[in-house]
Amino acid sequence: MQKARAMVDSVYRSESRRVFATLIRLLGDFDTAEEAMQDAFAAAAEQWPQDGAPANPRAWLVSTGRFKAIDGMRRRARFDASLARLAEQIEEDTRATALTWEEEGVEDDRLRLIFICCHPALSPDARAALTLREVCGLTTEEIARAFLTSPTTVAQRIVRAKAKIRDAKIPYQSPEPADLPGRLDTVLHVIYLVFNEGYSASSGDSLTRADLSSEAIRLARLVRELLPEPEVLGLLALMLLHESRRAARASSDGDLILLEEQDRSLWDRHQIAEGAALVEQALRTRRFGSYTLQAAISAVHAEALSAAETDWAQIVGLYDVLARLEPSPVIRLNRAVAVAMRDGPEAGLRLIDAILAQGELSDYYLAHSARAELCRRLGRTVDACASYERALALTLQEPERRFLERRLANLSR
C-alpha cells in the first residue's frame, strides 16, 4: 500500500502537468481540466493501493479525469441545461477516435498548450505567467521571483489571461504553421524560465529541480522539430551547456559549489559537444540573437579545462555584443562579473555599484552576492558583510543560504 501511494506521489510530480495539458485539449477549459486532474489523482490515491497501479498511469489518469468531468457536468445539468449538451459533446468527440496517450512531436499536448497560452491576444507578461503556472506547475511565488514582481501581480495576470482566452473563444488547438513564428519569442522565453527554475530553484531544500530542466530541454527539442530557427538552436544549446554542469554544482551534502571551484571532470562532455555544435550552427546563420550569444559564452566556459584557463576577454567581448542586443540589468550584472575576472575586482565593483544605484536589481540577491564577493576579494570586510546579509535576506533557497552564511561566518572570524 505504501509503495502504491508513493507511486501516486511520484506520478503526480512527473506527469501531472502532462495529464492537465491533455485534459485541457479534451475538456476545453482550464478550471474544468484542473478539477478533473485533481479528481483523477484523488481516485488514484484511493484505488491504486487496493488494485495496484495501472500499466500506463498517465492514460489511466486522463481517462479517469475525463469521465469525472463528464459525470460532474451531468450532475450539474439540472441547474444548467447547457452542461448536459457539453458533456454529450465531449463524450462524443473523445469516443470517436482512439486517443494516443504517448503522443510526441507536433501533437505533444504540453507543447500545444504552451503555444495556446502564448496567443498574441494575450499580453507578453500574461502569456509567460499563464504558461508557467498552468503548463509547468510553478507556484505564483516562483513565477513572481522569475519576473522580479509580486505574487499578487502574477495572480492577477493569470486570472485576466484565462478570462481573455474564454471571452475571445481562443481555440484549444495547435496554431497553424504560419502562426507559429509570431509566438516563438514568448514560447522560447517561457521554456527558458522553466529551465532556470530547474537549474537553480528559487526556493526549497534542493539547489536544482531536474524535472523542470529536463522538461525544458525536451520542449526545446520539440520546438526545434517545428521551427529549426537559429534562436531555437541557441536556446537548446544554452540549456544543454548549463545542464552539463549539474553533477558538479553541488557537494554530496547538497551545498553550492561555485563555477571556479567545480570538478570539471564531472561535466557531461556529451551535452557539451552537442551544445557547442548547436552554437556553431546557429552562429553560421548570422541570424542569431541573445540565446545564441549566451550559449556562446557558456561554450567558452565549457572549453576551459580549468577556471584559470577561462578566456575572460572573449567572454567580456560576447557580453558587449549581448548588452547591445538586450540591454537588461541582469546582462549588465553578468558582464560586470566577467569584467572583474578580466580586469580585477575593483573594475567589476564599480560597474555593479552603478547598476545597484539605478535600483532595478535592488531586490535581486545575486547582485548583492556578487558585490559581496568582490568586496571580500578587495579586503573590504564591512561592505562584504553588509552585502552578504542583504543577499541572505533575499534568497529562499537553502543551499544558497548555507553558502552565504558560511561566507559571513568566515569574514566574522
Side-chain angles (χ1 to χ4, degrees):
M1 184 174 292
Q2 251 184 342
K3 186 176 179 181
R5 286 176 179 167
M7 184 179 183
V8 174
D9 292 339
S10 176
V11 171
Y12 186 88
R13 288 191 298 271
S14 64
E15 300 287 356
S16 61
R17 304 324 291 179
R18 291 189 189 183
V19 171
F20 174 73
T22 300
L23 287 170
I24 279 276
R25 170 164 61 84
L26 298 177
L27 303 174
D29 179 77
F30 279 94
D31 295 334
T32 302
E34 182 71 35
E35 183 179 353
M37 183 190 73
Q38 297 298 339
D39 286 344
F41 274 100
E46 181 178 338
Q47 294 181 35
W48 292 6
Q50 298 176 11
D51 305 335
N56 189 331
R58 193 196 315 174
W60 189 96
L61 288 161
V62 170
S63 180
T64 300
R66 167 181 164 269
F67 284 123
K68 294 275 186 186
I70 291 171
D71 287 346
M73 289 175 191
R74 285 174 173 157
R75 284 196 303 273
R76 295 191 296 273
R78 54 182 174 167
F79 304 109
D80 186 347
S82 65
L83 288 175
R85 292 192 296 273
L86 180 59
E88 290 174 5
Q89 185 64 49
I90 290 172
E91 188 168 31
E92 181 179 339
D93 289 346
T94 54
R95 191 194 303 124
T97 57
L99 297 172
T100 305
W101 306 112
E102 299 300 329
E103 289 177 313
E104 298 292 348
V106 177
E107 297 305 315
D108 184 272
D109 280 324
R110 206 165 183 186
L111 183 62
R112 178 192 293 108
L113 186 53
I114 287 179
F115 275 103
I116 293 167
C117 291
C118 293
H119 195 281
L122 307 178
S123 70
D125 286 345
R127 296 175 208 166
L130 181 66
T131 307
L132 291 170
R133 177 68 192 96
E134 302 300 340
V135 181
C136 304
L138 271 65
T139 66
T140 53
E141 289 77 13
E142 289 169 338
I143 300 167
R145 284 190 285 274
F147 281 102
L148 302 180
T149 188
S150 71
T152 301
T153 299
V154 169
Q156 290 170 346
R157 287 174 184 170
I158 292 170
V159 169
R160 286 196 294 266
K162 286 182 179 179
K164 181 70 174 180
I165 289 174
R166 182 188 65 243
D167 297 343
K169 294 182 170 55
I170 293 173
Y172 290 87
Q173 61 189 34
S174 296
E176 294 297 322
D179 296 329
L180 292 175
R183 303 191 202 179
L184 184 61
D185 287 348
T186 302
V187 169
L188 295 183
H189 179 58
V190 167
I191 290 174
Y192 192 37
L193 287 175
V194 174
F195 177 81
N196 282 337
E197 182 63 27
Y199 183 71
S200 183
S202 57
S203 62
D205 296 331
S206 177
L207 181 66
T208 63
R209 291 180 59 180
D211 58 325
L212 290 180
S213 54
S214 296
E215 178 64 10
I217 290 171
R218 188 185 76 85
L219 290 172
R221 293 190 189 281
L222 291 174
V223 175
R224 182 189 178 191
E225 291 179 14
L226 286 170
L227 289 168
E229 292 290 317
E231 275 298 83
V232 179
L233 305 180
L235 176 58
L236 179 56
L238 176 59
M239 294 190 296
L240 287 168
L241 289 164
H242 280 331
E243 186 69 4
S244 70
R245 306 175 199 155
R246 176 183 291 278
R249 293 185 61 236
S251 69
S252 57
D253 296 326
D255 288 331
L256 173 66
I257 301 175
L258 296 180
L259 177 62
E260 62 191 78
E261 298 168 359
Q262 290 174 13
D263 179 356
R264 299 187 178 212
S265 69
L266 297 176
W267 290 3
D268 188 322
R269 291 294 155 185
H270 294 292
Q271 288 182 322
I272 289 173
E274 183 182 0
L278 288 167
V279 171
E280 291 179 7
Q281 185 180 348
L283 288 172
R284 282 197 299 269
T285 68
R286 299 188 179 276
R287 294 187 293 111
F288 54 84
S290 63
Y291 293 124
T292 300
L293 286 168
Q294 291 177 71
I297 292 168
S298 292
V300 175
H301 283 295
E303 290 166 359
L305 298 179
S306 67
E309 297 176 62
T310 304
D311 188 345
W312 288 106
Q314 185 180 0
I315 288 175
V316 171
L318 287 167
Y319 270 123
D320 288 340
V321 178
L322 180 59
R324 289 195 294 271
L325 184 66
E326 186 180 328
S328 76
V330 173
I331 295 296
R332 296 200 305 273
L333 173 66
N334 292 338
R335 180 186 177 278
V337 173
V339 168
M341 298 302 294
R342 184 191 66 178
D343 300 335
E346 187 71 51
L349 184 59
R350 284 196 298 271
L351 293 172
I352 290 178
D353 282 343
I355 294 168
L356 287 172
Q358 294 173 350
E360 293 174 286
L361 296 184
S362 58
D363 293 331
Y364 187 53
Y365 85 93
L366 286 175
H368 297 283
S369 178
R371 184 181 190 278
E373 180 64 18
L374 296 183
C375 288
R376 184 186 71 84
R377 296 184 184 191
L378 289 167
R380 294 170 50 175
T381 304
V382 173
D383 287 341
C385 286
S387 290
Y388 277 132
E389 286 170 355
R390 177 62 175 154
L392 190 57
L394 291 170
T395 185
L396 298 176
Q397 189 196 86
E398 284 306 313
E400 289 169 343
R401 291 185 62 81
R402 291 197 300 271
F403 173 82
L404 295 170
E405 287 167 351
R406 285 197 303 273
R407 283 287 203 252
L408 268 171
N410 291 336
L411 286 173
S412 301
R413 289 174 183 172

